């Protein structure tokens, strides 16, 4: 009997009892006035009470019978609905035993072992049930669990209701059974896929060296070459049914449906190689830069996203493609060395903008990357001298340690002029105001600067860097001088000094530190040098740079050289020409410098095309990567959160042992080699 039925019956009995009490009371009053009425009154009371009991029992029986009829009808209707349900139903225990199948389930999944598809779901539910049982709780069986499965090419959304069964397990705990409802979601998924596939993707393509092509190619070849490049681009776009429009003489806007994006990725943006193949036998190489995005609520937002992607591609040296989707960046190409841009128009423009920014500031803070090196310090000193020439207070925010700066720091601290130039982050914070200008040199990554908190405290920022651009670049900057063709940040700063003001007079130490930055980053003018690299070095020589003294700053001592020799002795070769070595000495505070020098030394061995040396310091594993240009170490180490250039790159990893880092590096090397095949 239900609670509601019980309440109705109690209400009925209460009314009958009230009537009996009234009748008995009247009989008692009547007997008081006339004793002769006693016997009739007693008989009347007995009759009334007996009648009341009989009526109450009869009423109760009627209600019980009515409820039983209703229950029988409901049970029959429920059974009929379950058996003949148009939705496939399955009752199954948590051990995988099938209790019952509906007729529609049998028809829908004839000849298919559905349980094999559901094993993961059942296992997950069983684990949750057992976990709650151990905690002395009952599993929340009122909550539906929803999962989606692909069963034999059809998509089903499965609703699962959990209930207790009569069966008990060995621990004498009640087992649970699952009621599964299979909703065919195939058409919905097809429509959803069609909707997603019909979304617009926006791409931008750019001929990297159009200006050089116009200047160096003879007129008759120039027209033919440009025509052939445009034909290759148009044919590529035609394969996807997309629309491509030439917006400028060297730029194209590409609009296509998202359904073709996966094929573009699968072919690794093949148009890059097709364009390069046009000039394989020519002294003028033509390359493309491409940025594609599907991120944004409308086409304008997607176009802005593609523009931001193009900025990253060009900041990485061009000759590559970036596909931006679902908040992630994927790069293709970028396996050729960056080409030097011989025009100095941008350097002059940037120098003027930097000079204006310094002139409009109250003071200048200069900061490099963590584990600061001579390129960062030398660039910082160059910008310090420019700020002082423009009559502004300037400070270098840095706390250098270790031997990465060689004997340079001894010369720096011996010079009285620089006693208060290099300050800590606490001192910098005390001098910051709303008009403070922060100049970041030799890095563009927010996470790589020596003191990341300063980026949040200073509104006006300038970035000067030569590393390939990464997606996590510092944003909201007044001026960005980011040129990946440059050998070093010191080279870029030297150019800025030449054009920002006419009366900049570098001290001997400043000129030598800038020269040292160029010399170290080019490995004594061997790697990544161009005409402008030597022009910058020649400019610095005018200030009396002593080349021998600068070289002595960074000479390795005998102890370090012996350590490097031991690292080289333990090297292992993978993929025939790639050397990997591990330096297992966490107590060495100069481990990063040792690893970098060991990686450089490995490249002097014949048949070694790339070298990686792994070390550990301050609970972080770091990797130094070097190559002669055949292997792009930047792309490999970028997969591990690092960056750099084709021939020189590095990465820092947390939470891994040296052996785990080595295994992860090998995986990334193999991934890279597979991608470029």
């Amino acid at each position: 009997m239900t609670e509601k039925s019980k309440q109705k019956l109690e209400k009925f009995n209460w009314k009958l009892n009230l009537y009996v009490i009234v009748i008995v009371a009247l009989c008692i009053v009547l007997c008081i006035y006339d004793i002769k009425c006693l016997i009739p009154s007693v008989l009347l009371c007995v009759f009334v009470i007996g009648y009341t009991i009989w009526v109450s029992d009869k009423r109760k029986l009627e209600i019980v019978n009515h409820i039983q009829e209703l229950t029988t009808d409901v049970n029959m209707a429920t059974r009929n609905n379950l058996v003949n349900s148009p939705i496939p139903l399955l009752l199954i225990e948590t051990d995988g035993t099938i209790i019952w199948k509906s007729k529609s389930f049998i028809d829908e999944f004839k000849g298919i072992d559905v349980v094999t598809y559901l094993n993961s779901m059942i296992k997950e539910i069983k684990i949750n049930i057992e976990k709650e049982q151990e905690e002395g709780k009952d599993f929340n069986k009122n909550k539906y669990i929803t999962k989606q499965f692909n069963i034999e090419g059809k998509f089903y959304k499965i609703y699962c209701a959990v209930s207790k069964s009569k069966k008990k397990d060995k621990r004498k705990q009640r087992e649970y059974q699952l009621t599964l409802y299979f909703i065919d979601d195939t058409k919905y998924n097809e429509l959803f896929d069609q909707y997603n596939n019909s979304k617009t993707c926006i791409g931008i393509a750019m001929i990297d060296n159009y200006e050089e092509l116009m200047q160096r190619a003879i007129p008759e070849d120039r027209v033919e070459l440009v025509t052939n490049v445009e034909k290759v681009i148009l044919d590529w776009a035609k394969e996807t049914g997309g629309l491509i429009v030439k917006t400028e003489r060297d730029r194209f806007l590409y609009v296509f449906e998202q359904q073709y994006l996966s094929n573009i990725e699968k072919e690794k943006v093949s148009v890059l190689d097709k364009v390069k193949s046009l000039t394989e036998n020519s002294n003028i190489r033509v390359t493309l830069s491409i940025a594609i995005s599907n991120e944004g609520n409308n086409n304008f937002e997607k176009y802005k996203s593609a523009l931001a992607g193009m900025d990253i591609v060009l900041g990485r040296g061009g000759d590559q493609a970036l596909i931006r989707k679902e908040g992630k960046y994927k790069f293709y190409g970028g396996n050729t060395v960056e080409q030097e841009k011989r025009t100095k128009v941008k350097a002059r423009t940037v120098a003027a903008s930097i000079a204006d920014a310094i002139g409009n500031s109250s003071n200048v803070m200069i900061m490099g990357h963590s584990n600061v090196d001579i390129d960062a310090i030398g660039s910082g000193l160059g910008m310090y001298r420019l700020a002082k020439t423009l009559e502004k207070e300037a400070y270098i925010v840095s706390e250098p340690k270790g031997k990465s700066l060689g004997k340079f720091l001894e010369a720096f601290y011996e010079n009285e002029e620089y006693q208060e130039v290099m300050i800590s982050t606490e001192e910098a914070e005390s001098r910051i105001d709303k008009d403070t200008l922060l100049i970041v040199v030799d890095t563009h990554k927010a996470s790589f600067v020596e003191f990341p908190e300063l980026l949040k405290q200073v509104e006006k920022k300038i970035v000067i860097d030569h590393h390939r651009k990464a997606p996590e670049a510092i944003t909201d900057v007044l001026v960005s001088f980011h040129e990946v063709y440059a050998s070093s940040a010191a080279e870029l700063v030297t150019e800025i000094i030449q054009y920002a003001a006419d009366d900049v007079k570098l001290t001997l130490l400043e000129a030598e530190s800038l020269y040292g930055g160029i010399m170290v980053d080019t490995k004594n003018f061997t790697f990544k040098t161009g005409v402008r690299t030597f022009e910058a070095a020649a400019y610095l020589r005018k200030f009396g740079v002593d080349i021998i003294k600068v070289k002595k700053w960074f000479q390795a001592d005998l102890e370090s050289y012996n350590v490097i020799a031991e690292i080289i002795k333990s090297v292992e070769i993978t993929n025939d020409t790639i050397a990997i070595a591990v330096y297992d000495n966490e107590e060495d505070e100069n481990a990063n410098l040792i690893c970098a020098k060991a990686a450089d030394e490995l490249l002097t061995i014949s048949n070694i095309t790339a070298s990686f040396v792994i070390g550990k310091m301050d609970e972080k594993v770091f990797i130094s990567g070097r190559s002669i240009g055949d292997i792009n170490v930047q792309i490999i180490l970028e997969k591990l959160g690092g960056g750099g250039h084709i021939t020189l790159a590095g990465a820092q990893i947390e939470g891994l042992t040296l052996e785990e880092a080595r295994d992860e590096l090998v995986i990334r090397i193999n991934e890279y080699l597979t991608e470029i095949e």
Side-chain angles (χ1 to χ4, degrees):
M1 187 180 292
T2 63
E3 191 66 31
K4 193 172 182 181
S5 300
K6 287 181 180 179
Q7 289 176 358
K8 287 183 177 180
L9 187 60
E10 288 174 359
K11 189 175 182 182
F12 174 75
N13 289 337
W14 180 80
K15 288 180 179 179
L16 281 177
N17 293 336
L18 181 63
Y19 296 151
V20 171
I21 291 169
V22 170
I23 291 171
V24 171
L26 289 174
C27 289
I28 292 171
V29 171
L30 187 62
C31 291
I32 293 172
Y33 283 100
D34 189 352
I35 193 67
K36 295 178 180 179
C37 297
L38 178 61
I39 293 173
S41 297
V42 170
L43 293 174
L44 179 62
C45 287
V46 170
F47 173 77
V48 169
I49 292 170
Y51 179 77
T52 301
I53 293 171
W54 178 78
V55 170
S56 177
D57 290 343
K58 185 181 179 184
R59 179 65 174 170
K60 183 177 180 180
L61 185 61
E62 287 176 355
I63 291 173
V64 169
N65 289 335
H66 179 65
I67 290 170
Q68 286 178 344
E69 288 176 5
L70 282 175
T71 303
T72 302
D73 291 342
V74 169
N75 286 338
M76 288 182 66
T78 302
R79 278 196 295 269
N80 288 333
N81 286 335
L82 284 173
V83 172
N84 300 309
S85 169
I87 299 173
L89 299 177
L90 176 67
L91 263 65
I92 188 170
E93 292 184 339
T94 51
D95 61 0
T97 303
I98 294 176
I99 302 171
W100 176 81
K101 306 173 185 176
S102 70
K103 186 177 182 299
S104 56
F105 178 90
I106 295 169
D107 294 338
E108 182 78 13
F109 300 107
K110 189 177 294 182
I112 301 173
D113 185 8
V114 176
V115 177
T116 57
Y117 292 93
L118 306 177
N119 280 336
S120 60
M121 178 184 184
I122 295 171
K123 186 177 179 181
E124 180 184 339
I125 294 171
K126 188 173 183 178
I127 290 170
N128 291 334
I129 290 172
E130 289 175 351
K131 184 179 178 182
E132 295 205 5
Q133 283 178 340
E134 288 172 1
E135 294 174 357
K137 302 176 184 176
D138 265 345
F139 187 74
N140 185 5
K141 51 186 179 295
N142 295 321
K143 181 180 178 182
Y144 278 93
I145 300 160
T146 308
K147 297 281 184 179
Q148 191 174 59
F149 288 89
N150 183 339
I151 301 176
E152 298 293 320
K154 295 182 72 174
F155 288 92
Y156 293 90
K157 186 176 285 183
I158 300 178
Y159 293 88
C160 173
V162 183
S163 58
K164 284 183 178 179
S165 68
K166 294 180 180 180
K167 181 180 173 183
K168 291 186 178 182
D169 63 12
K170 294 178 182 178
R171 294 176 295 175
K172 296 183 179 179
Q173 290 181 320
R174 188 71 70 184
E175 275 284 0
Y176 286 83
Q177 66 182 26
L178 315 177
T179 305
L180 306 179
Y181 303 79
F182 292 75
I183 309 296
D184 190 344
D185 236 11
T186 306
K187 288 194 178 296
Y188 170 80
N189 275 276
E190 288 175 353
L191 288 172
F192 188 74
D193 288 342
Q194 287 176 16
Y195 165 72
N196 279 328
N197 287 335
S198 64
K199 285 183 178 178
T200 303
C201 288
I202 303 292
I204 299 171
M206 177 181 175
I207 302 173
D208 291 323
N209 50 342
Y210 186 85
E211 292 292 340
E212 184 184 5
L213 181 64
M214 293 296 102
Q215 292 173 8
R216 294 179 59 192
I218 57 177
E220 53 267 31
D221 291 342
R222 185 189 307 159
V223 175
E224 182 183 359
L225 186 54
V226 171
T227 303
N228 289 338
V229 170
E230 291 182 1
K231 186 178 184 305
V232 168
I233 296 172
L234 291 170
D235 288 344
W236 174 67
K238 192 176 180 181
E239 292 173 2
T240 62
L243 171 68
I244 192 157
V245 179
K246 188 175 182 179
T247 56
E248 297 177 33
R249 58 183 183 172
D250 60 346
R251 287 201 176 209
F252 302 83
L253 179 66
Y254 178 32
V255 182
F256 63 100
E257 290 185 346
Q258 187 166 291
Q259 60 182 305
Y260 299 104
L261 185 57
S262 60
N263 196 49
I264 290 173
E265 291 181 280
K266 184 179 178 182
E267 294 182 353
K268 301 175 182 176
V269 198
S270 58
V271 70
L272 295 173
D273 293 327
K274 290 177 181 177
V275 168
K276 276 194 287 189
S277 67
L278 295 175
T279 53
E280 277 182 340
N281 302 317
S282 172
N283 61 339
I284 304 173
R285 190 191 62 175
V286 179
T287 61
L288 280 183
S289 289
I290 297 173
I292 296 172
S293 176
N294 69 352
E295 292 185 345
N297 296 321
N298 51 55
N299 289 339
F300 179 67
E301 288 184 4
K302 291 175 184 178
Y303 175 68
K304 285 172 63 180
S305 177
L307 278 177
M310 179 57 74
D311 184 46
I312 293 173
V313 170
L314 295 177
R316 292 164 63 88
D319 184 26
Q320 57 192 284
L322 175 151
I323 294 179
R324 185 173 179 176
K325 65 176 184 178
E326 299 170 2
K328 297 180 180 178
Y329 298 81
K330 194 159 186 180
F331 296 94
Y332 298 88
N335 295 314
T336 53
V337 178
E338 305 89 350
Q339 295 298 300
E340 180 185 44
K341 294 178 175 61
R342 299 192 179 191
T343 175
K344 297 184 180 180
V345 175
K346 183 176 181 180
R348 290 190 180 95
T349 305
V350 168
S353 299
I354 290 175
D356 290 341
I358 293 173
N360 294 327
S361 64
S362 57
N363 54 26
V364 178
M365 302 291 168
I366 304 159
M367 176 171 61
H369 52 75
S370 58
N371 295 322
V372 67
D373 57 14
I374 187 61
D375 190 25
I377 289 292
S379 301
L381 281 172
M383 295 310 297
Y384 163 80
R385 179 52 55 194
L386 176 60
K388 296 298 287 184
T389 302
L390 297 173
E391 300 180 347
K392 294 293 178 181
E393 284 187 18
Y395 304 93
I396 298 173
V397 188
S398 181
E399 295 177 359
K401 57 183 179 179
K403 295 182 180 179
S404 60
L405 291 170
K407 296 180 180 178
F408 164 77
L409 285 180
E410 294 178 13
F412 179 84
Y413 287 122
E414 286 174 1
N415 195 313
E416 292 185 6
E417 183 179 354
Y418 305 111
Q419 293 300 315
E420 297 181 0
V421 171
M422 198 173 292
I423 61 175
S424 66
T425 179
E426 290 79 11
E427 292 178 85
E429 287 172 350
S430 67
R431 300 173 189 269
I432 290 174
D433 59 43
K434 65 177 182 177
D435 291 320
T436 295
L437 176 66
L438 176 64
I439 301 177
V440 178
V441 295
D442 203 26
T443 185
H444 65 280
K445 289 185 178 182
S447 59
F448 274 31
V449 297
E450 191 164 2
F451 302 108
E453 58 271 18
L454 287 185
L455 292 175
K456 301 174 184 177
Q457 298 176 28
V458 179
E459 292 184 7
K460 299 194 295 183
K461 297 182 278 287
I462 290 173
V463 174
I464 303 168
D465 191 26
H466 66 113
H467 297 96
R468 285 195 166 197
K469 200 164 190 178
E472 62 270 25
I474 298 169
T475 56
D476 302 323
V477 297
L478 292 176
V479 183
S480 176
F481 193 23
H482 196 146
E483 299 292 348
V484 293
Y485 67 82
S487 66
S488 55
E491 178 185 326
L492 296 176
V493 169
T494 302
E495 286 190 344
I496 291 169
I497 290 170
Q498 292 180 70
Y499 302 126
D502 295 330
D503 54 347
V504 179
K505 302 295 183 186
L506 293 171
T507 66
L508 180 59
L509 184 66
E510 290 162 357
E512 288 177 338
S513 65
L514 284 166
Y515 188 91
I518 297 173
M519 185 190 75
V520 170
D521 271 23
T522 58
K523 310 303 174 194
N524 292 320
F525 297 91
T526 303
F527 291 102
K528 211 163 185 281
T529 53
V531 173
R532 292 171 68 170
T533 308
F534 289 104
E535 286 179 354
Y539 173 79
L540 295 172
R541 286 277 283 155
K542 294 177 181 178
F543 293 96
V545 171
D546 185 341
I547 297 174
I548 302 301
K549 183 173 77 172
V550 174
K551 282 189 175 183
K552 286 182 177 179
W553 281 347
F554 305 103
Q555 282 181 328
D557 54 51
L558 183 59
E559 182 182 351
S560 297
Y561 195 83
N562 287 333
V563 172
I564 291 169
E566 288 297 319
I567 294 173
I568 294 172
K569 190 188 297 184
S570 66
V571 73
E572 295 179 10
I573 304 297
T574 182
N575 297 97
D576 298 327
T577 62
I578 299 175
I580 300 177
V582 176
Y583 179 42
D584 190 2
N585 186 355
E586 297 182 33
E587 297 179 0
D588 188 348
E589 63 178 10
N590 301 305
N592 58 337
L593 178 62
I594 294 290
C595 289
K597 288 185 175 181
D600 291 332
E601 196 66 29
L602 280 167
L603 281 189
T604 63
I605 300 172
S606 63
N607 298 324
I608 298 294
T609 58
S611 62
F612 297 90
V613 181
I614 307 168
K616 194 169 186 179
M617 188 173 67
D618 298 333
E619 300 303 319
K620 287 184 181 179
V621 172
F622 54 85
I623 305 174
S624 292
R626 302 289 188 269
S627 86
I628 59 174
D630 296 337
I631 302 291
N632 190 329
V633 293
Q634 182 259 338
I635 290 180
I636 293 171
L637 293 183
E638 192 174 57
K639 295 173 182 288
L640 296 171
H645 297 286
I646 287 177
T647 57
L648 186 152
Q652 292 184 0
I653 311 171
E654 294 186 22
L656 295 182
T657 64
L658 288 169
E659 191 61 34
E660 289 170 341
R662 185 197 175 283
D663 293 341
E664 191 68 23
L665 174 62
V666 171
I667 291 170
R668 301 307 178 186
I669 291 171
N670 290 331
E671 280 181 6
Y672 165 78
L673 294 174
T674 301
E675 288 170 1
I676 64 173
E677 285 180 355

